Amino acid sequence: DAGVTQSPTHLIKTRGQHVTLRCSPISGHKSVSWYQQVLGQGPQFIFQYYEKEERGRGNFPDRFSARQFPNYSSELNVNALLLGDSALYLCASSLTEGSNQPQHFGDGTRLSIL
Amino acid sequence: GDSVTQMEGPVTLSEEAFLTINCTYTATGYPSLFWYVQYPGEGLQLLLKATKADDKGSNKGFEATYRKETTSFHLEKGSVQVSDSAVYFCALRSNTGFQKLVFGTGTRLLVSP
């Protein structure tokens, strides 16, 4: 079975632009979470979605938004990009929303802001 | 708020040496604890987990014990291999209903032949 897939794998943008990152969860998984990993740091939680509804939000500005589709795939949108948004963006999926469910991570999208 | 503190790296070992990576946490209640591993250019892979005090998680020769009295979850392996070279992240998840993982800053392990 395919794991969590993210696209694109790499992306280069300039300051002020917006970006959309995509995630397809493992088949049958209904919960998707997004994390930002700045170089040399641990991942930071951005959002969790379950059944198309936001279930949790981390400490990120309103420039960050996300949504989940009926097929449980998800998009992360970032507007008005800043240099500090350069990072690896990770998507994780789990079967349900429960806190005891293991999360499976994709390989991430590496976003570079020039 | 919740937080995780890991020992700084890199940790440099020779093959077959004993490994310890220290991890302590701060959290309210009874969080679940995890170790994830990240190989170059890849995402995170769950290595092991423990969900309550005194639980021992183990996988691929790695193990860690949930110590509530010392708020620790140290990772150990008796004999490391070159293929274990990677970045290791300790993480917690509080039992508040949603799936936010709080990660440490990671510890890079370098194993030489």
Side-chain angles (χ1 to χ4, degrees):
Chain A
D1 285 344
V4 176
T5 57
Q6 293 186 241
S7 63
T9 55
H10 294 85
L11 201 52
I12 299 174
K13 293 286 189 179
T14 57
R15 283 177 294 175
Q17 287 187 312
H18 71 272
V19 68
T20 297
L21 310 180
R22 295 177 175 84
C23 172
S24 293
I26 292 172
S27 177
H29 284 197
K30 298 181 179 180
S31 178
V32 170
S33 297
W34 288 94
Y35 291 81
Q36 180 195 65
Q37 186 180 13
V38 173
L39 192 64
Q41 300 294 317
Q44 298 288 318
F45 174 78
I46 309 176
F47 290 109
Q48 182 201 354
Y49 275 76
Y50 177 71
E51 293 282 13
K52 296 169 291 183
E53 291 188 4
E54 182 183 301
R55 294 303 207 195
R57 171 185 284 256
N59 188 25
F60 280 81
D62 291 344
R63 299 185 297 108
F64 288 77
S65 64
R67 55 180 176 169
Q68 186 177 33
F69 299 98
N71 66 354
Y72 305 111
S73 67
S74 178
E75 286 182 353
L76 176 69
N77 295 284
V78 187
N79 293 324
L81 288 166
L82 303 174
L83 292 178
D85 295 331
S86 294
L88 180 68
Y89 288 85
L90 295 165
C91 174
S93 76
S94 62
L95 201 56
T96 67
E97 66 173 332
S99 60
N100 61 345
Q101 289 291 315
Q103 294 184 54
H104 302 266
F105 283 82
D107 287 342
T109 293
R110 184 161 299 282
L111 176 62
S112 299
I113 311 300
L114 303 180
Chain B
D2 297 347
S3 67
V4 173
T5 302
Q6 289 182 236
M7 61 188 291
E8 290 196 18
V11 172
T12 304
L13 296 172
S14 298
E15 205 166 25
E16 299 184 3
F18 184 85
L19 169 70
T20 299
I21 300 179
N22 291 336
C23 170
T24 58
Y25 68 90
T26 302
T28 54
Y30 302 90
S32 296
L33 301 175
F34 305 84
W35 278 100
Y36 281 85
V37 58
Q38 187 173 37
Y39 297 99
E42 297 184 11
L44 301 172
Q45 297 177 27
L46 177 63
L47 184 58
L48 53 84
K49 68 175 183 178
T51 58
K52 60 183 187 295
D54 300 325
D55 266 3
K56 177 184 282 188
S58 61
N59 185 28
K60 299 181 182 179
F62 292 89
E63 58 182 34
T65 301
Y66 189 142
R67 301 287 190 199
K68 186 160 179 63
E69 63 276 13
T70 54
T71 61
S72 65
F73 192 54
H74 304 321
L75 182 69
E76 297 182 335
K77 187 176 185 183
S79 176
V80 294
Q81 305 300 312
V82 171
S83 57
D84 294 327
S85 298
V87 181
Y88 292 81
F89 291 94
C90 184
L92 70 81
R93 187 171 64 204
S94 65
N95 296 321
T96 57
F98 71 96
Q99 296 180 334
K100 173 184 175 180
L101 284 166
V102 176
F103 287 88
T105 54
T107 302
R108 181 174 300 278
L109 171 65
L110 299 171
V111 181
S112 56

